[in-house]
């Protein structure tokens, strides 16, 4: 890369950064992310579901409040089987003159809090990390990645605006098309890094206010992996957003080219959210470039993945990002100066830049 090209990339990147730092939408978006971070940390109860199902044996049923879904079991052994099969969250069984609670991996705080007395708890498969902590980390990692991934839409909108106002013709007369693409990607990646730094500073504050101080110690190693995954994931998606913007000439047509990218952002997020307790699915998602940014850091947090797996996964995302940038470079150059409607990928690929 020549010095002039490097300088052109820097100029475009600086222009993108200045433009978005002056935009109200950028600060509103960052504010929403920060508010969401504090809300997730402080209000974990918002993620609660339906009534807790509890297995009961004999007279233990009298101690379970009506707000819980009590499932009758014929014996303590039968109640344990219901817990092991995860048909119920816990079992409340007689224990001499009192009660005993049986759970699978973690003490069921909601069950214990609902009982009039605090009985001893037997854990069948004790876990180092509580299910509540796991869900909190999955939610935070997933939501942040989703918001940054969708934030790449700004690159597509910026590209379309430049085409629609014919500003792009002035820009390409001053800098090469490839430098224009690279500058946009670099500029928005730096903006993303800046927002990550802000979140890194505020996260301990949010966890402390939410009474999750100990979680920070547990999550710190996973954060070390999450940041590079987040940046590389954004780099991967940003090139695709830029191509989506270059294929159309009006903002109204942008939805026709961004649908596939929105799917690539949304589907992995929902898969990780719904299957985060399924080791086989999470292992698979850890090596799919578009979902690895959330799945692998979560597995590192829970101790389910080795360091070599994280390195390999990061390499897969990096290689995919480079390949997408190379592909985007050709498509972007072929479509940027074309006006008059939506341009197909085949036409953009074949069009000489």
């Amino acid at each position: 890369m020549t010095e002039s090209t490097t300088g052109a990339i820097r100029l475009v990147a600086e222009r993108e950064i200045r433009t978005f730092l002056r935009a109200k939408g950028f600060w509103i978006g960052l504010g929403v992310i920060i508010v969401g971070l504090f809300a997730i940390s402080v209000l974990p109860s918002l993620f609660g579901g339906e009534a807790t199902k509890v297995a009961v044996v004999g007279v233990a049923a009298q101690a379970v409040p009506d707000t819980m879904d009590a499932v009758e079991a014929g014996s303590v052994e039968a109640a344990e089987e219901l817990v092991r099969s995860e048909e119920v969250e816990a079992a409340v069984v007689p224990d001499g003159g009192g009660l005993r609670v049986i759970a699978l991996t973690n003490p069921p705080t909601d069950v214990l809090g609902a009982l009039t007395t605090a009985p001893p708890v037997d854990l069948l498969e004790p876990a180092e990390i509580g299910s509540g902590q796991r869900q909190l980390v999955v939610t935070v990692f997933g939501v942040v990645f989703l918001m940054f991934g969708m934030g790449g839409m700004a690159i597509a909108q910026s590209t379309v605006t430049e085409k629609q106002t014919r500003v792009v013709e002035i820009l390409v007369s001053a800098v090469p098309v490839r430098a224009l693409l690279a500058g946009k990607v670099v500029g928005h990646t730096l903006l993303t890094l800046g927002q990550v730094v802000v979140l890194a500073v505020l996260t301990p504050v949010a966890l402390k206010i939410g009474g999750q101080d100990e979680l920070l110690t547990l999550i710190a190693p996973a954060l070390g992996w999450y940041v590079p995954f987040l940046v590389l994931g954004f780099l991967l998606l940003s090139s695709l957003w830029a191509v989506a913007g270059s294929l159309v000439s009006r903002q109204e047509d942008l939805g026709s080219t961004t649908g596939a990218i929105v799917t690539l952002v949304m589907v992995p997020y929902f898969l990780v959210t719904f299957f985060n307790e399924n080791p086989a699915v999470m292992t698979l998602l850890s090596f799919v470039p578009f979902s690895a940014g959330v799945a692998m850091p979560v597995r590192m947090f829970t101790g389910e993945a080795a360091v070599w797996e994280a390195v390999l996964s990061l390499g897969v995302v990096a290689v995919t990002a480079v390949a997408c940038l190379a592909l985007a470079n050709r498509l972007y150059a072929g479509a940027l100066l074309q006006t008059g409607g939506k341009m197909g990928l085949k036409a953009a690929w074949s069009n000489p830049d």
Side-chain angles (χ1 to χ4, degrees):
M1 185 179 295
T2 64
E3 184 176 347
S4 60
T5 301
T6 302
I9 293 174
R10 184 178 65 253
L11 287 174
V12 174
E14 290 175 353
R15 175 179 178 272
E16 291 293 315
I17 293 173
R18 286 197 302 269
T19 299
F20 280 86
L21 287 180
R22 289 197 296 263
K24 292 181 180 179
F26 172 81
W27 296 106
I28 292 174
L30 180 58
V32 169
I33 294 176
I34 293 173
V35 170
L37 172 65
F38 277 84
I40 291 172
S41 301
V42 177
L43 304 173
S45 59
L46 290 178
F47 301 95
E50 56 189 26
T52 302
K53 295 184 69 173
V54 180
V56 294
V57 177
V59 296
Q62 300 174 7
V64 176
D66 295 336
T67 55
M68 293 189 172
D69 185 4
V71 179
E72 292 281 352
S75 64
V76 173
E77 291 73 18
E80 286 187 3
E81 284 303 312
L82 289 174
V83 174
R84 289 187 185 279
S85 63
E86 299 186 21
E87 294 182 40
V88 297
E89 181 177 334
V92 182
V93 301
D95 183 30
L99 299 174
R100 188 171 83 255
V101 173
I102 301 174
L104 188 62
T105 56
N106 301 283
T109 54
D110 52 344
V111 176
L112 295 174
L115 298 177
T116 54
T117 58
V121 180
D122 293 343
L123 298 180
L124 302 177
E125 299 173 11
E128 293 183 5
I129 298 173
S131 57
Q133 294 177 328
R134 181 190 184 104
Q135 190 58 49
L136 176 61
V137 169
V138 170
T139 302
V140 172
F141 281 6
V143 169
V144 171
F145 197 92
L146 176 64
M147 298 186 81
F148 277 120
M150 290 302 296
M153 174 70 81
I155 300 177
Q157 293 172 334
S158 171
T159 301
V160 177
T161 299
E162 290 168 356
K163 290 187 68 173
Q164 194 167 3
T165 58
R166 311 302 287 266
V167 170
V168 69
E169 297 175 10
I170 301 174
L171 291 174
V172 297
S173 66
V175 298
V177 174
R178 289 179 173 81
L180 185 59
L181 171 63
K184 284 182 175 294
V185 171
V186 170
H188 284 271
T189 301
L190 290 175
L191 284 171
T192 299
L193 272 173
Q195 293 175 82
V196 169
V197 171
V198 172
L199 292 179
V201 172
L202 294 178
T203 296
V205 179
L207 291 176
K208 186 174 183 62
I209 294 176
Q212 302 280 350
D213 305 61
E214 73 285 352
L215 183 59
L216 184 61
T217 303
L218 294 172
I219 203 176
L223 281 174
W225 290 105
Y226 183 64
V227 172
F229 271 108
L230 180 64
V231 174
L232 282 176
F234 180 83
L235 191 63
L236 167 61
L237 291 168
S238 63
S239 60
L240 302 182
W241 285 115
V243 171
S246 70
L247 293 174
V248 295
S249 303
R250 302 185 308 165
Q251 291 286 350
E252 304 93 292
D253 299 329
L254 193 55
S256 64
T257 60
T258 57
I261 307 174
V262 171
T263 300
L264 288 175
V265 176
M266 297 292 291
V267 171
Y269 162 74
F270 285 114
L271 288 175
V272 172
T273 300
F274 294 144
F275 295 100
N276 70 86
E277 295 187 6
N278 187 313
V281 175
M282 287 294 287
T283 299
L284 176 62
L285 293 175
S286 296
F287 296 99
V288 176
F290 297 97
S291 58
V294 180
M296 184 56 78
V298 168
R299 292 183 64 221
M300 293 298 290
F301 168 71
T302 58
E304 297 171 359
V307 172
W308 70 265
E309 291 182 87
V311 173
L312 178 59
S313 177
L314 195 62
V316 170
V317 178
V319 170
T320 306
V322 171
C324 282
L325 282 169
L327 176 64
N329 188 48
R330 173 70 177 265
L331 296 172
Y332 188 83
L336 187 61
L337 294 177
Q338 302 304 310
T339 58
K342 179 184 175 181
M343 190 176 192
L345 292 173
K346 184 176 180 181
W349 179 268
S350 304
N351 190 50
D353 55 283

